[in-house]
Amino acid sequence: MPMSRVPRPRRFLVCEPRHFAVQYAINPWMREDTQVDVDLARGQWSELISAYRAHGHTVDSVEPVAGLPDMVFAANSALVVAGRVFGSLFHAPQRRPESSAYETWFKSAGFDVHRPESVCEGEGDLVFAGRHLLAGTGFRTARSAHHEVQEYFGVPTVSLTLVDPRFYHLDTALFVLDDGPEANIAYYPEAFSAGSREVLRLLFPDAVVATREDAMVFGLNSVSDGRHVFIAPRAEALAGELDRHGYVPVPVDLSEFQKAGGGIKCCTQEIRS
């Protein structure tokens, strides 16, 4: 019998997809001529927010800015821990103005904000997992940012190299299932270099391993509260595996956002107390 999982209430920051569009191509999922169904995108996003609130989570929202179509992907804006914000410096020039918009929100909400010196894309590449901060590099966040964030938070930081451009952010290839010292993860091994796969195997011997099929439908761009896992509906095998491990999959369809290379986690910044 799988163990009983206990959820922890979370506080999330999101941004309404009022200006969401695919206006440029900065990852393999994006095509400049792609048409976005704006009404469908708004409806899917609203379903995600409703699902979070229905499961007891708090949701704050930052005002979207015209001309910033990817601002809906709030996870890339920062890493937030105990009232301190390690902000973002985007790789793509098209996204760099987002940093200021989010910094304004954080400061108005009473947070201290650190502007990184190196390219860093927030929770897209920075993931707390128990005693460690997992940090992705290879396509977006610079390896030098890993040292910078370790110095800022004083948390052991483990660098992981991504090798498949379709999984350009860490949060497209891995997500954390549980909090606490015995944190566990789900991940897709082939997204990582051989050395990084070995590191993950050693740190998380009981990890849930996803298939390529589930990774390709953004099944690993999920959010877990320790019991409920908000997950792409087409990641059926992964959902079944999570169920066998005692988690409760909560399917939420954000397929319209996959046109820009995003999903559930991309749209969700966690504010950790």
Side-chain angles (χ1 to χ4, degrees):
M1 292 289 291
M3 66 181 295
S4 178
R5 307 289 179 178
V6 179
R8 178 178 66 81
R10 311 291 173 114
R11 181 184 178 190
F12 297 132
L13 178 65
V14 299
C15 181
E16 178 194 348
R18 190 181 308 162
H19 307 296
F20 175 58
V22 180
Q23 298 177 348
Y24 42 77
I26 59 172
N27 67 58
W29 303 94
M30 302 178 85
R31 299 289 184 271
E32 290 187 34
D33 59 351
T34 298
Q35 295 297 312
V36 169
D37 185 330
V38 177
D39 289 338
L40 176 59
R42 287 181 178 178
Q44 290 180 341
W45 181 86
S46 295
E47 286 295 322
L48 176 63
I49 306 312
S50 296
Y52 284 153
R53 288 176 171 152
H55 288 84
H57 305 303
T58 300
V59 181
D60 294 313
S61 185
V62 61
E63 183 70 12
V65 176
L68 299 180
D70 280 343
M71 194 172 165
V72 64
F73 300 128
N76 305 152
S77 67
L79 179 68
V80 185
V81 182
R84 304 177 73 201
V85 177
F86 190 90
S88 59
L89 174 59
F90 285 90
H91 181 269
Q94 296 94 328
R95 297 197 66 184
R96 290 195 170 180
E98 294 177 35
S99 299
S100 296
Y102 277 99
E103 181 176 327
T104 297
W105 186 91
F106 283 119
K107 287 184 174 179
S108 68
F111 292 91
D112 295 323
V113 180
H114 172 80
R115 290 187 177 185
E117 297 178 3
S118 302
V119 170
C120 186
E121 300 200 351
E123 284 191 329
D125 277 319
L126 302 172
V127 180
F128 267 105
R131 299 180 177 90
H132 300 94
L133 177 65
L134 305 181
T137 190
F139 300 103
R140 298 292 184 85
T141 296
R143 190 175 295 272
S144 54
H146 299 178
H147 174 74
E148 192 177 348
V149 74
Q150 179 173 270
E151 290 300 306
Y152 184 67
F153 287 118
V155 174
T157 300
V158 178
S159 293
L160 301 169
T161 301
L162 297 160
V163 296
D164 186 330
R166 293 168 297 184
F167 307 107
Y168 58 92
H169 272 154
L170 185 61
D171 72 359
T172 64
L174 177 154
F175 71 95
V176 175
L177 289 164
D178 305 290
D179 288 326
E182 303 304 320
N184 200 13
I185 64 169
Y187 74 112
Y188 173 52
E190 298 305 312
F192 298 91
S193 67
S196 295
R197 290 198 299 270
E198 184 65 13
V199 168
L200 290 171
R201 188 186 68 81
L202 291 171
L203 288 177
F204 306 102
D206 299 319
V208 174
V209 177
T211 65
R212 178 183 181 277
E213 290 73 21
D214 284 336
M216 290 294 289
V217 295
F218 285 70
L220 291 159
N221 196 241
S222 297
V223 171
S224 173
D225 64 13
R227 173 174 170 80
H228 309 100
V229 179
F230 304 88
I231 188 172
R234 290 192 292 164
E236 296 178 357
L238 179 56
E241 192 66 18
L242 293 170
D243 180 71
R244 284 189 288 275
H245 282 75
Y247 299 95
V248 180
V250 180
V252 183
D253 184 9
L254 289 193
S255 56
E256 199 65 13
F257 296 93
Q258 293 177 20
K259 295 177 179 179
I264 292 171
K265 176 56 189 172
C266 289
C267 291
T268 310
Q269 165 70 239
E270 183 175 351
I271 300 177
R272 294 171 177 81
S273 58

